[in-house]
């Protein structure tokens, strides 16, 4: 299987090729597109006789096994590099079925573990930022993580059940006589804990999914709509429940082409979400406790549940923020508070422009991240009375109080400050409740940061990224 098409272009080094074999005919080549929503592609194929390098595929696959019901379960594979030469890994492919949550690969070298692959997508083809050198006698470890919460039967590994496949693509000199062998050896790994699990290439800390974040991630995946056009755009963990919000997209900084005209007005008013956009799950068994908000939102992006149980939702298409006084509101219930003017973008006390996020402080004051076409944080009292707006537009990084966009807001309850993510300028602005800015946190080493959160237990900022190898939830170095 040759990964000649993926979400991002796969580029081999100059004068390299995939080996097709001496008996390969030139009459027919089959191209299989395995994915969704691909409207166009380009294939440039050349049969080469004298390539200097070739690409081999090493398959890590579970030969069998089972997943117990109602649990989180791992399947681990491990094989050493027993070859006389180093292996140069350039890309990888992951494959599990619908219960697969995460596929990771570590390379172990003299008690040092290096994470080179980490995917929360069940079928992904990812090119490494640069070739990774796997030295002789290094141990290659693969882990597939599964979630069978809410299921009452055992699932078996196999063609009609689940799968644990990891394909590692290795580039080598054509003159090399290396014969790559696949890995089917199951084992029980002891991957490094949160303090030791370090990606040395990118200098980042990865939160291991042995924490409550695993539950949040797995429930958000289970909450996906059967309608493939919807995805989880935001979620809130409050008390014994998890609240999720579905939208037409979850990467609003990059995926809004065709939704708005040149004046930021929604183009198609028929794109209202007809199913329930809001779902409340039990933290005990992930069962659905409540669903609501059908035929009400267009591009809901931000979700916040206040300390008093009020629920706030922002909508990019409506250019509004709405508030319901209770979590379990009914279809007939109207919002108790509406901020902004429907379908009318602007930049004053009664207008927003694609507001992305909302939160409340300990006094129930409301802060709105406004937004993708405005560059400010707007403050209101709990009754909706306008207080003021904070922030200026700038394209220069590192300036306090300026934004390229306001992507997301989070509340640091320990320091009583607001964290404002700016994905365009790759930084986080820190602001107190009075609108004073006093710190800029650089996040440029993380690609495409979608969401931020604050963990009081760890006293740390958590960031959610979505960009191939860099996808995941990370602890931000402060």
């Amino acid at each position: 299987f040759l990964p000649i098409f993926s979400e991002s272009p796969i580029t081999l080094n100059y004068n390299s090729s995939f080996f097709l074999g001496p008996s390969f005919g030139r009459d027919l080549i089959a191209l299989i597109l395995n994915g969704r929503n691909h409207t166009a592609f380009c294939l440039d194929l050349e049969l080469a006789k004298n390539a200097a390098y070739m690409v081999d595929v090493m398959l890590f696959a579970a030969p069998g096994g089972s997943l117990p019901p109602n649990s989180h379960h791992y399947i681990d594979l491990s094989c050493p590099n027993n070859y006389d030469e180093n292996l140069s890994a350039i890309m990888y492919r992951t494959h599990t079925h619908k219960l697969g949550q995460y596929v990771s690969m570590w390379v172990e070298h003299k008690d040092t573990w290096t994470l080179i692959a980490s995917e929360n997508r069940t079928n992904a083809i990812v090119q490494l930022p640069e070739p990774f050198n796997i030295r002789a006698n290094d141990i290659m470890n693969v882990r597939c993580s599964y979630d069978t919460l809410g299921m009452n039967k055992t699932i078996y590994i196999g063609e009609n059940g689940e799968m644990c496949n990891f394909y590692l693509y290795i580039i080598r000199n054509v003159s090399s006589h290396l014969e790559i062998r696949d890995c089917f050896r199951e084992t029980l790994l002891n991957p490094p804990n949160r303090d030791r699990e370090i990606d040395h290439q990118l200098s980042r800390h990865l939160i291991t999914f042995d924490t409550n974040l695993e539950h949040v991630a797995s429930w958000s995946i289970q909450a996906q709509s059967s309608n493939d056009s919807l995805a989880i755009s935001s979620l809130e963990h409050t008390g014994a429940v998890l609240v999720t919000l579905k939208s037409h997209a979850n990467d609003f900084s990059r995926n809004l082409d065709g939704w708005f005209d040149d004046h930021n007005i929604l183009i198609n008013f028929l794109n209202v979400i007809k199913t329930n956009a809001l779902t409340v799950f039990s933290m005990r068994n992930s069962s659905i406790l409540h669903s609501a908000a059908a035929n009400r939102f267009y591009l809901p992006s931000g979700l916040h549940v206040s300390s008093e149980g009020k629920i706030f939702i922002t909508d990019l298409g409506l250019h509004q923020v709405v508030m319901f006084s209770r979590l379990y509101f009914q279809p007939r219930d109207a919002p108790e508070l509406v901020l902004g003017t429907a379908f009318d973008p602007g930049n004053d006390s009664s207008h927003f422009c694609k507001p992305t996020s909302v939160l409340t402080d300990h006094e129930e004051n409301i802060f709105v991240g406004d937004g993708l076409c405005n560059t400010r944080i707007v403050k209101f009292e709990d009754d909706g009375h306008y207080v003021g707006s904070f922030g200026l537009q700038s394209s220069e990084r590192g300036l306090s109080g300026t934004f390229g966009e306001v992507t997301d807001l989070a509340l640091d309850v320990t320091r009583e400050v607001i964290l404002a993510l700016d994905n365009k300028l790759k930084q986080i602005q820190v602001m107190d409740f009075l609108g004073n800015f006093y710190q800029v946190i650089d996040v440029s080493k993380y690609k495409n940061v979608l969401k931020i959160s604050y963990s009081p237990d760890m006293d740390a900022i958590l960031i959610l990224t979505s960009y191939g190898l860099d996808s995941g939830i990370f602890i931000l170095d402060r």
Side-chain angles (χ1 to χ4, degrees):
F1 174 78
L2 307 182
I4 55 179
F5 186 84
S6 67
E7 292 184 2
S8 301
I10 296 296
T11 304
L12 297 180
N13 293 333
Y14 177 72
N15 201 17
S16 60
S17 63
F18 286 97
F19 180 65
L20 297 177
S23 61
F24 176 75
R26 296 172 180 237
D27 296 332
L28 178 65
I29 295 176
L31 175 65
I32 300 175
L33 293 182
N34 184 7
R36 301 186 183 125
N37 300 326
H38 296 316
T39 57
F41 66 91
C42 179
L43 175 64
D44 185 7
L45 183 65
E46 179 181 353
L47 295 176
K49 292 184 178 180
N50 300 309
Y53 300 92
M54 64 179 293
V55 178
D56 279 329
V57 183
M58 184 176 184
L59 169 65
F60 295 76
S66 61
L67 308 177
N70 200 35
S71 66
H72 301 287
H73 192 72
Y74 302 114
I75 290 180
D76 295 333
L77 303 164
S78 181
C79 284
N81 177 10
N82 286 331
Y83 307 105
D84 294 332
E85 58 186 87
N86 297 341
L87 304 178
S88 183
I90 60 170
M91 57 186 173
Y92 62 86
R93 176 185 176 229
T94 63
H95 178 68
T96 66
H97 290 171
K98 62 181 181 179
L99 298 179
Q101 301 296 302
Y102 229 83
V103 181
S104 301
M105 182 181 187
W106 293 272
V107 175
E108 184 180 358
H109 176 76
K110 296 180 179 179
D111 297 325
T112 297
W113 291 60
T114 301
L115 181 71
I116 69 168
S118 186
E119 280 299 319
N120 59 359
R121 294 173 293 169
T122 56
N123 288 280
I125 299 173
V126 177
Q127 186 164 7
L128 298 178
E130 59 185 29
F132 183 85
N133 193 36
I134 303 173
R135 289 159 287 194
N137 299 317
D138 283 358
I139 308 297
M140 296 170 284
N141 302 306
V142 170
R143 164 167 285 187
C144 298
S145 175
Y146 303 90
D147 191 344
T148 60
L149 287 177
M151 303 184 67
N152 56 10
K153 64 177 182 179
T154 299
I155 303 298
Y156 294 92
I157 301 297
E159 183 178 355
N160 297 320
E162 261 299 339
M163 303 287 284
C164 176
N165 290 353
F166 182 89
Y167 303 81
L168 185 65
Y169 294 86
I170 298 166
I171 191 168
R172 64 178 177 86
N173 196 296
V174 169
S175 62
S176 169
H177 297 290
L178 187 67
E179 183 178 347
I180 297 295
R181 295 181 294 272
D182 296 331
C183 177
F184 303 102
R185 191 177 76 177
E186 289 194 50
T187 186
L188 181 62
L189 297 180
N190 184 24
N193 59 29
R194 185 184 307 159
D195 297 326
R196 292 182 55 217
E197 189 172 322
I198 299 175
D199 184 331
H200 299 284
Q201 290 176 292
L202 300 177
S203 300
R204 71 188 183 197
H205 295 275
L206 173 67
I207 298 175
T208 59
F209 272 29
D210 294 326
T211 68
N212 287 334
L213 290 174
E214 179 181 22
H215 302 290
V216 173
S218 63
W219 273 319
S220 68
I221 292 172
Q222 290 183 36
Q224 298 285 353
S225 169
S226 59
N227 182 341
D228 291 334
S229 66
L230 299 183
I232 298 297
S233 64
S234 188
L235 57 85
E236 279 270 304
H237 171 209
T238 173
V241 300
L242 179 76
V243 188
T244 66
L245 185 66
K246 291 183 295 188
S247 189
H248 288 290
N250 57 12
D251 185 354
F252 297 107
S253 295
R254 303 193 301 176
N255 291 342
L256 291 181
D257 291 344
W259 279 90
F260 297 89
D261 65 15
D262 293 339
H263 303 286
N264 294 307
I265 297 175
L266 191 69
I267 293 175
N268 191 346
F269 294 93
L270 298 179
N271 276 332
V272 64
I273 297 177
K274 297 178 176 59
T275 57
N276 288 320
L278 185 114
T279 307
V280 182
F281 291 87
S282 168
M283 290 292 287
R284 177 176 299 176
N285 57 17
S286 76
S287 61
I288 296 177
L289 302 177
H290 181 64
S291 295
N295 297 302
R296 191 184 290 270
F297 296 107
Y298 291 81
L299 279 169
S301 57
L303 171 69
H304 174 68
V305 181
S306 74
S307 59
E308 294 185 355
K310 300 175 182 177
I311 183 165
F312 294 81
I313 298 173
T314 67
D315 192 305
L316 304 178
L318 286 170
H319 304 286
Q320 284 185 319
V321 180
V322 300
M323 183 273 286
F324 297 90
S325 60
R326 55 184 182 140
L327 183 60
Y328 298 96
F329 64 88
Q330 300 302 315
R332 64 181 181 274
D333 293 345
E336 280 80 2
L337 179 65
V338 178
L339 302 174
T341 306
F343 305 113
D344 187 14
N347 188 7
D348 54 37
S349 61
S350 59
H351 293 83
F352 303 118
C353 193
K354 299 177 187 174
T356 58
S357 47
V358 59
L359 56 78
T360 56
D361 63 14
H362 60 284
E363 295 181 346
E364 292 294 306
N365 292 307
I366 305 166
F367 295 86
V368 179
D370 182 35
L372 295 184
C373 41
N374 285 336
T375 52
R376 60 179 186 161
I377 299 173
V378 191
K379 181 179 180 180
F380 301 86
E381 295 178 348
D382 60 348
D383 61 357
H385 177 74
Y386 174 77
V387 176
S389 66
F390 315 99
L392 299 173
Q393 184 176 13
S394 176
S395 59
E396 184 176 351
R397 299 184 65 250
L399 299 179
S400 182
T402 62
F403 296 97
E405 67 178 34
V406 184
T407 314
D408 194 28
L409 298 179
L411 184 64
D412 182 338
V413 294
T414 302
R415 298 168 181 81
E416 294 191 345
V417 295
I418 293 172
L419 308 170
L421 170 66
D422 184 344
N423 192 24
K424 181 175 289 187
L425 298 184
K426 311 301 181 186
Q427 60 191 21
I428 296 173
Q429 295 280 353
V430 182
M431 183 189 88
D432 64 22
F433 297 153
L434 298 177
N436 300 307
F437 294 90
Y438 62 90
Q439 185 182 8
V440 181
I441 302 174
D442 182 19
V443 294
S444 59
K445 69 179 179 179
Y446 303 95
K447 295 182 180 178
N448 198 34
V449 182
L450 300 182
K451 296 285 183 179
I452 58 174
S453 181
Y454 173 76
S455 170
D457 295 335
M458 293 185 285
D459 188 24
I461 300 173
L462 309 182
I463 64 174
L464 172 66
T465 68
S466 176
Y467 195 89
L469 181 64
D470 295 333
S471 298
I473 304 173
F474 305 100
I475 302 176
L476 182 64
D477 298 326
R478 300 189 69 177

